[in-house]
Amino acid sequence: MNTNPNYNYVRIFDTTLRDGEQSPGASLTSSEKMEIARALARLGVDVIEAGFPAASPDDAAAVQQIAQEVGNSPVSEGEGSRKVPIICGLARANKKDVDAAWNSIRYASRPRIHTFIATSPIHMRYKLRMEPKEVVERISDVVAYAHSLCEDVEFSPEDAGRSEPEFLYKVLSEAIKAGATTLNIPDTVGYTTPEEFGNLIRGILTNVPGIENTIVSVHCHNDLGLATANTLAGLQAGARQAEVAVNGIGERAGNTSLEEVVMALHTRRSMFALTTGIDTTQIARVSRMVSTYTGIPVQPNKAIVGANAFAHEAGIHQDGMLKHQETYEIMRPETVGVSQSKLVLGKHSGRHALRVHLEELGFHLTPPELDRAFEQYKQLADKKKMITEADLQALLGDQTNKGEEFYSLQGMQVTCGTMGMPTATVRLCCPDGELATHAAIGTGPVHATYCAIDAIVGVPNTLLEFNIHAVTEGIDALGEVTVRLQANDSPLSERESPQNGRTFARTFGGYGADTDIIVAAAKAYLAALNKLLAATTISNVKGEIRS
Ligand code: KIV
Ligand code: ZN
């Protein structure tokens, strides 16, 4: 029996800012990354994988900023104890990437280098074009090099789920000899089943010399919808770190979702007998922040954080709930931070009360941002009787962390209906401070608005996704819109995947909230265009039409 008091503690390694940001459309500005990192620290994650510094100077700078600030700010764990999360940077197995990672994370009080190389026959043969022997040598060299810079080194044999177990044992033991302290086992393409994955972890724990002095980690993708089940099977087999992303975002079908693993361990604790350091009451807030900033909506029936996760619509369920909550509820909504008493501020609340509430929600505003938020809040309070936590999050989501704002909405007017052509007149403030106004017709009010904006901004793009929904119940609810778009011909907006090395067209998400849904749609579109402009640095692009 293992008598180590930490034996049953599962480290939560959050990769929302690295693997999560590899999701289509999840491009985040550096201030959004910073806000998410702060929120993850408050949530209590043990490790924040802040990015892939070798990708670009911007990525490196964002990781460095997180290391400097979040990596040196202890957060309260309750009962007087405080912890600082480990800040981790990803590196392919070469010295250049390792140097880039180290140069960004070295500022953290607890830095970690995470290096990886593929070990499955198919990846070694077709992607790496390397012999297994060369892969083993590379692992020894690069892990030893990383260890010479940083005490804490994590190694991942990419595509472990399809690697030959005997070969995995060999590479993992070489990584341990070279100084790896965490061995992460990725099911990169989400291929395995829970039984197979659990057996793989058991085999590793039994057959790799030196493994008992390291932490074994699991990193599962959701291609067959099995990521959470596989992660839990890995933990039951003895892994003690779970790599997860908020809302399960990530490449293709995504990564294991943080909230599912944490709440499974929490709700079924008598079965798993495993603990985490997560403050579960922060889950709903962080989920919402990630969805707002990435522009990736959470599906309503998503476990734990979906809008319907705690809604009990059917009459028979409601009857049961009224008689005894546990008839249909295995978790309390408050446990994950879904508040039942939603009113947070009244019409007469002041600036100080707003600031305190926003800080609780994870928004740290500069004085000018607070002024702007207060003005927005007062406008909303005039239109809406009850301002809820969800309203504040929605309002702030489109007020702050926009990064560079090239174009902003100054005003708009729309006519639509069955009696004429839908027409929108839009006035924007341009990068040089001038106002530009344009009117356009379209097939509907949103189309007309987007045509008018396009005429001013002048960046050819394709709208890939448009989602709209009400933030709260009631006729006076705020509407929120998320969009995702792609530049038509801009090689500068391409980015490279750290795993397959292929460049893919970057897509940009935008978010807007307003009691007027067409205004929310305009704000979301402008937010996405501003991100696109920031990434392609076409800062001098300006429309031709002025009035
Ligand atoms: O899925 C994967 O294999 C990864 C590695 C870089 C750990 O994300
Ligand atoms: Zn991954």
Side-chain angles (χ1 to χ4, degrees), residues 304-507:
I304 321 293
V305 291
N308 296 348
F310 293 98
H312 298 273
E313 294 275 0
I316 189 166
H317 286 203
Q318 279 184 8
D319 183 53
M321 283 283 293
L322 292 174
K323 288 181 178 139
H324 195 297
Q325 267 167 343
E326 283 174 28
T327 45
Y328 286 99
E329 208 171 68
I330 58 164
M331 295 166 271
R332 300 291 303 128
E334 301 82 52
T335 311
V336 295
V338 174
S339 168
Q340 298 297 60
S341 54
K342 286 181 175 166
L343 178 62
V344 290
L345 286 171
K347 190 171 173 178
H348 302 293
S349 304
R351 192 182 302 261
H352 177 71
L354 179 67
R355 186 172 59 76
V356 170
H357 265 90
L358 292 177
E359 280 176 8
E360 275 171 19
L361 289 176
F363 294 99
H364 297 266
L365 306 192
T366 60
E369 281 171 347
L370 182 64
D371 288 345
R372 210 158 85 153
F374 189 62
E375 203 182 300
Q376 292 287 321
Y377 161 72
K378 284 285 176 197
Q379 280 173 19
L380 183 63
D382 276 343
K383 293 182 196 157
K384 201 170 181 291
K385 273 192 287 206
M386 290 214 323
I387 308 283
T388 66
E389 192 174 298
D391 288 324
L392 281 186
Q393 278 193 300
L395 196 69
L396 266 289
D398 81 5
Q399 287 307 309
T400 56
N401 300 303
K402 288 184 168 165
E404 210 169 340
E405 202 179 4
F406 295 93
Y407 292 89
S408 61
L409 184 67
Q410 294 297 302
M412 61 182 288
Q413 189 175 332
V414 176
T415 46
C416 62
T418 54
M419 310 285 281
M421 277 187 282
T423 309
T425 307
V426 169
R427 174 165 293 163
L428 302 185
C429 181
C430 298
D432 59 6
E434 277 181 47
L435 292 180
T437 307
H438 191 78
I441 54 169
T443 53
V446 173
H447 183 218
T449 302
Y450 286 14
C451 288
I453 292 175
D454 282 343
I456 298 172
V457 176
V459 176
N461 70 84
T462 304
L463 185 67
L464 302 171
E465 216 174 283
F466 178 93
N467 290 291
I468 183 160
H469 85 277
V471 174
T472 50
E473 292 130 35
I475 195 71
D476 59 354
L478 272 178
E480 61 183 355
V481 173
T482 50
V483 300
R484 201 154 60 81
L485 55 80
Q486 200 169 60
N488 284 355
D489 306 301
S490 176
L492 283 171
S493 71
E494 285 176 356
R495 72 197 306 219
E496 188 185 340
S497 160
Q499 282 160 272
N500 56 31
R502 277 201 300 262
T503 52
F504 56 95
R506 227 170 137 173
T507 63

Side-chain angles (χ1 to χ4, degrees), residues 45 68 74 117 119 145 159 168 171 192 210 329 390 397 401 414 417 449-450:
V45 306
Q68 276 164 330
I117 190 166
T119 52
Y145 180 63
D159 204 16
L168 268 187
V171 299
T192 62
E329 208 171 68
N401 300 303
V414 176
T449 302
Y450 286 14

Side-chain angles (χ1 to χ4, degrees), residues 18-19 188 219 221 255 499:
R18 198 280 296 170
D19 218 332
T188 304
H219 176 117
H221 280 266
N255 284 77
Q499 282 160 272

Side-chain angles (χ1 to χ4, degrees), residues 37-58:
R38 288 188 190 118
L40 291 170
R42 272 195 304 276
L43 178 66
V45 306
D46 300 274
V47 188
I48 297 176
E49 188 164 50
F52 171 47
S56 73
D58 277 359

Side-chain angles (χ1 to χ4, degrees), residues 268-285:
R268 304 299 310 279
R269 49 192 172 275
S270 58
M271 191 185 77
F272 287 106
L274 296 172
T275 60
T276 71
I278 297 295
D279 172 1
T280 60
T281 64
Q282 300 279 328
I283 285 178
R285 286 175 189 168

